[in-house]
Amino acid sequence: MSATFVGMPAFPSAARAALADTQLRHNLAHATGTIRDKRARVVAEVEEWEDLRLAGAAVKQSALVDLDRHLVRLEETLTANGATVHWARDAAEANAIVARIARDHDADEVVKVKSMATQEIGLNEALAEEGILAWETDLAELIVQLGDDLPSHILVPAIHRNRAEIREIFLREMAGVGRPAPADLTDEPAVLAGAAREHLREKFLRAKVAVSGANFAVAETGTLVVVESEGNGRMCLTLPEVLVSVVGIEKVVPTWEGLDPLLRLLPRSSTGERMNPYTSTWSGVTPGDGPQEVHVVLLDNGRTRALADDVGRQALRCIRCSACLNVCPVYERVGGHAYGSVYPGPIGAILNPLMKGTGDPQTDSLPYASSLCGACFEVCPVRIDIPEVLVHLRAEVVDGHRGDRVPKAEAAAMAGAAWTLSDARRLAWVEKASGLAGRALTRFGRTRLPGGRAAAGRIPGPGAAAWTGARDLPAPPRESFRAWWRRTDGGRTDHTDTETGEGS
Amino acid sequence: MRVALMVTCFNDAMFPETGKAVVTLLRRLGVEVDFPAAQTCCAQPMVNTGYLDEAVPVVRTFVEAFAGYDAIVTPSGSCAGSARHQHGIVARRAGDPALTEAVAATSPKVYELSEFLVDVLGVTDVGAYFPHTVTYHPTCHSLRMIGVGDRPRRLLEAVRGLTLVELPGAAECCGFGGTFAVKNADTSVAMGADKARHVRETGAEVLVAGDNSCLMHVGGMLSRQQAGIRTVHLAEILAATEASVPEVVA
């Protein structure tokens, strides 16, 4: 099981391949539609939802403003509670810390609570290289892991799979890594969940070491918080002797009180539930109860880079609810894999460039993987203005190429457009030329829009083909608005208007 | 009140009928509208593609052309949003205090057409007549960037002869998105195909919106599918009367 996003193509190519998969599009449209409606219903129940969003954004923002201070406080309180705190600058450091802890306990396997941070650093693959098997215990993560697949959604990693596919994966793969699936397995959700439960129980009871992430880390009390739905998280957090929690440094919340809006915003935004089934908190070691050794790995891995970006910083407010994925029309069509990262969708399109830095073709394609429709900002529980950050990052991508010896065709086109559009006389001249082209099309073209306006059908050439592959293009009118205004003094001298037949 | 028409470069070059409709409509409502000839574009194509330096001279041209007007009216939710929310970013980037000041004076005076009619003129019945079945697509920037709310619907509901039918999934993006339509053409087309299907499902004769860019995208797709559904800008429906139903729909 070594699936990885490394070497993924840029978004437009990956999207094209995904769009060709009709089963995937069907699965995604169904799943995102269902969860979107559910979220909308439970959010509508909360009268002060906007106030709650503001409060949630304020808690996370205040944590980011003084992040260094809150992190030091967190280290102090966790240490006082008996936990060992480690600092990791990047994925390699974090993975090495976890592997060392497992080896210190002679563990050749660990059980895992679903965690985006460990996905991000490729912990499972890194542990496998050390001969340590990491078992995912979240149902969807188990499906992805058994299928040697990649997660395609933050909350529902196997959203791209349907029930029949999951049955196939369980029947084929479970026996090789533990308790086999029952031979009479059906594709009923409860039956599939039952098989996963039996398969996982063995692993929970055997494992000495568990690995988790955290949804929140409270600095004043040294408390980590995990929010989940299946109870597998609670088993991992309480049964094994040793617990290692890998926590992104942006998860810090200064006070316990600050959790209040966040724990109300998260379940409604993510699963469309009023409250999530399990909320677990742990603060170091309690003698004789639960893990007797607790390690917390505080992970940077590009977060301080994002923090240094004035506009992009707000992305670190993200509480990984995935509401933006579920409303995004782009995500709904192409799915998560096209984004080439464990963080897909609108938030992934900004988090990846912010954390990794721009300059790589795959990363640079992500800020453009959006129509800027704004649906993501509308649902974001902590008010991350994703469209604003997308545009900001597009500028960073463009600026990164300003020194190119040979400018891209797009850059030349934009420079030309800016030259034309900064002077009305130049624009009028271009419109006159396009009007001539329009006349030719009107005379010789065969395509007509309803209402009679001439149009261009399929045209070869890079930009034109991209548009006209599936869309007719109206012919330019013979006379622009400004030419009409000047000719008729704004319609005052030409009430009959002879230029008919070329409206929209 | 000195009112300027911001016709938008796109309407100017591709959909002049929309600008003419705004002039007809506002005159009928007793508003004399100027067309500052120095105007060009709101700079959104550059800004949204990441070419902020290139946007600077375009924004400069914009604020110079529209300086001194009490209201700047445009038949585009998208360009109104650009002028209101992005010009400040461009000016700050240019590090030019005079430009920043000029933007601060101009941007708040930009109104999308339905906002100007309902909020400034205080009318919802503009005396229009349009005897067709129409479905309305609330373009994303109208809906979310500037928040026109139900103003276009209220205007349409007051049009005599018009039957307004509900568009399924109306609030979902049509997939145009400026250069997105070309840079991510496959995804754009997939989104547009679903929008076009919803439009066909309504049985409407006409698809109306407050942005010709989105209409060109969805209309281009409907045309390729030979769906026989026309796309008409909101301004043209509101300008239509019993004496002058727009030629394209009559």
Side-chain angles (χ1 to χ4, degrees):
Chain A
M1 286 171 214
S2 57
T4 161
F5 281 110
V6 173
M8 281 287 286
F11 185 84
S13 336
R16 191 175 310 122
L19 286 162
D21 185 343
T22 51
Q23 180 67 57
L24 173 75
R25 278 178 75 180
H26 176 81
N27 294 353
L28 282 168
H30 177 74
T32 56
T34 306
I35 196 165
R36 189 159 66 210
D37 293 346
K38 212 171 147 198
R39 176 206 161 272
R41 271 199 305 279
V42 298
V43 162
E45 292 173 352
V46 184
E47 267 180 41
E48 76 285 15
W49 184 253
E50 277 313 304
D51 294 338
L52 208 52
R53 282 178 85 203
L54 287 164
V59 168
K60 291 290 287 187
Q61 195 63 27
S62 78
L64 293 173
V65 168
D66 284 319
L67 190 60
D68 49 351
R69 196 163 56 80
H70 298 306
L71 283 170
V72 170
R73 177 85 181 123
L74 178 69
E75 182 181 31
E76 286 167 4
T77 50
L78 278 169
T79 309
N81 294 339
T84 307
V85 174
H86 310 259
W87 297 82
R89 266 172 299 203
D90 56 24
E93 283 190 10
N95 289 333
I97 293 166
V98 181
R100 183 167 48 73
I101 295 166
R103 273 201 315 270
D104 286 350
H105 292 272
D106 295 322
D108 57 6
E109 61 176 4
V110 301
V111 285
K112 286 188 68 204
V113 188
K114 175 174 160 22
S115 135
M116 295 310 295
T118 60
Q119 293 265 10
E120 172 192 324
I121 59 176
L123 177 66
N124 294 8
E125 293 76 21
L127 289 178
E129 281 180 24
E130 304 272 335
I132 302 161
L133 296 167
W135 306 118
E136 294 291 347
T137 64
D138 171 87
L139 178 54
E141 290 287 358
L142 176 70
I143 295 164
V144 169
Q145 188 175 41
L146 288 174
D148 197 16
D149 198 356
L150 290 164
S152 69
H153 189 281
I154 290 174
L155 188 79
V156 204
I159 195 169
H160 56 293
R161 297 291 201 183
N162 62 29
R163 296 182 339 194
E165 291 174 310
I166 294 165
R167 175 178 173 272
E168 285 301 311
I169 292 169
F170 281 10
L171 281 173
R172 197 176 61 227
E173 302 292 341
M174 271 183 175
V177 291
R179 188 187 174 105
D184 60 348
L185 189 71
T186 69
D187 65 1
E188 284 300 305
V191 174
L192 292 170
R197 188 187 173 94
E198 295 296 322
H199 179 82
L200 290 170
R201 178 112 341 180
E202 279 187 0
K203 301 195 189 300
F204 286 131
L205 294 173
R206 204 171 56 213
K208 276 204 296 194
V209 178
V211 177
S212 84
N215 292 91
F216 306 104
V218 184
E220 69 170 355
T221 54
T223 307
L224 302 182
V225 183
V226 153
V227 173
E228 44 125 3
S229 297
E230 297 168 16
N232 65 303
R234 185 160 290 178
M235 305 259 293
C236 288
L237 296 169
T238 53
L239 284 173
E241 292 164 29
V242 181
L243 173 61
V244 189
S245 301
V246 181
V247 183
I249 53 173
E250 85 287 13
K251 295 289 179 185
V252 171
V253 173
T255 65
W256 184 263
E257 201 185 351
L259 285 177
D260 172 47
L262 299 172
L263 285 176
R264 285 198 279 159
L265 287 163
L266 182 55
R268 285 184 201 258
S269 301
S270 56
T271 49
E273 292 168 303
R274 296 180 182 89
M275 193 176 176
N276 51 286
Y278 297 89
T279 303
S280 306
T281 68
W282 65 104
S283 310
V285 176
T286 306
D289 184 15
Q292 294 302 293
E293 195 178 315
V294 172
H295 296 267
V296 180
V297 183
L298 294 174
L299 175 72
D300 182 341
N301 204 32
R303 285 160 175 78
T304 49
R305 193 192 178 286
L307 190 68
D309 186 312
D310 287 345
V311 179
R313 182 178 305 146
Q314 57 185 310
L316 295 179
R317 295 206 295 251
C318 177
I319 56 174
R320 311 285 190 262
C321 73
S322 67
C324 62
L325 276 63
N326 300 326
V327 297
C328 177
V330 174
Y331 177 88
E332 185 187 328
R333 302 299 180 309
V334 306
H337 293 162
Y339 295 82
S341 158
V342 296
Y343 301 112
I347 189 67
I350 62 172
L351 261 186
N352 289 301
L354 285 167
M355 285 170 37
K356 294 179 191 166
T358 51
D360 160 79
Q362 198 278 330
T363 309
D364 285 5
S365 71
L366 295 178
Y368 293 95
S370 164
S371 64
L372 301 179
C373 83
C376 48
F377 179 33
E378 197 173 52
V379 297
C380 177
V382 286
R383 295 182 58 88
I384 302 167
D385 191 340
I386 295 176
E388 179 193 23
V389 182
L390 285 167
V391 170
H392 168 75
L393 289 168
R394 289 177 184 188
E396 191 177 308
V397 170
V398 167
D399 290 344
H401 287 279
R402 287 202 185 272
D404 288 1
R405 210 169 297 166
V406 183
K408 285 196 290 186
E410 177 190 278
M414 280 294 169
W419 185 79
T420 306
L421 292 172
S422 49
D423 186 296
R425 280 161 305 178
R426 291 175 204 151
L427 176 58
W429 187 86
V430 170
E431 284 168 349
K432 204 166 177 186
S434 87
L436 290 173
R439 274 169 208 251
L441 256 177
T442 304
R443 178 173 290 189
F444 302 112
R446 277 191 304 216
T447 308
R448 288 283 182 276
L449 298 177
R453 180 171 179 174
R458 287 169 208 277
I459 312 176
W467 180 276
T468 60
R471 297 163 282 206
D472 288 336
L473 183 67
R478 279 178 289 174
E479 187 179 47
S480 68
F481 178 85
R482 75 180 58 238
W484 169 82
W485 182 278
R486 195 161 56 183
R487 180 174 63 78
T488 66
D489 187 24
R492 290 175 190 91
T493 61
D494 180 38
H495 295 289
T496 52
D497 188 3
T498 53
E499 298 286 330
T500 53
E502 50 192 30
S504 54
Chain B
M1 186 167 59
R2 290 191 68 210
V3 179
L5 168 62
M6 167 186 154
V7 81
T8 86
C9 64
F10 186 66
N11 287 326
D12 180 19
M14 289 298 287
F15 296 92
E17 301 307 323
T18 298
K20 295 178 200 174
V22 177
V23 174
T24 305
L25 172 65
L26 292 183
R27 273 198 196 133
R28 195 169 76 219
L29 296 170
V31 178
E32 197 47 51
V33 64
D34 279 348
F35 175 75
Q39 70 175 280
T40 54
C41 168
C42 67
Q44 186 175 197
M46 289 106 223
V47 175
N48 280 1
T49 316
Y51 290 82
L52 290 191
D53 286 351
E54 286 76 0
V56 175
V58 184
V59 170
R60 210 181 290 283
T61 303
F62 183 96
V63 294
E64 283 167 11
F66 291 107
Y69 286 94
D70 301 307
I72 301 152
V73 186
T74 185
S76 165
S78 191
C79 302
S82 160
R84 293 220 291 247
H85 299 296
Q86 295 183 328
H87 283 189
I89 297 169
V90 174
R92 270 197 300 283
R93 158 121 167 172
D96 179 343
L99 183 60
T100 306
E101 207 174 299
V103 164
T106 318
S107 291
K109 292 178 180 160
V110 175
Y111 295 90
E112 182 273 337
L113 178 65
S114 73
E115 293 177 318
F116 183 75
L117 295 171
V118 175
D119 299 353
V120 180
L121 299 186
V123 290
T124 45
D125 184 348
V126 297
Y129 170 76
F130 194 79
H132 298 280
T133 306
V134 167
T135 193
Y136 170 68
H137 169 57
T139 61
C140 297
H141 287 177
S142 293
L143 192 67
R144 302 192 188 91
M145 201 175 190
I146 61 170
V148 298
D150 65 351
R151 293 176 185 88
R153 292 189 63 97
R154 281 155 63 197
L155 290 160
L156 285 168
E157 279 161 6
V159 173
R160 274 174 288 287
L162 185 146
T163 307
L164 189 62
V165 291
E166 212 54 50
L167 177 64
E172 193 170 301
C173 179
C174 70
F176 171 64
T179 47
F180 175 78
V182 176
K183 285 176 87 85
N184 279 287
D186 301 291
T187 310
S188 167
V189 165
M191 290 159 69
D194 288 342
K195 181 63 73 176
R197 177 167 50 80
H198 288 313
V199 172
R200 291 199 309 271
E201 280 166 11
T202 65
E205 303 161 72
V206 173
L207 171 67
V208 62
D211 274 287
N212 274 325
S213 47
C214 307
L215 286 178
M216 185 174 87
H217 165 69
V218 184
M221 199 157 273
L222 288 166
S223 166
R224 184 64 57 88
Q225 297 166 355
Q226 302 188 315
I229 298 168
R230 294 152 197 221
T231 52
V232 179
H233 192 283
L234 176 69
E236 289 166 63
I237 290 183
L238 298 180
T241 60
E242 279 169 68
S244 67
V245 171
E247 188 124 349
V248 284
V249 200

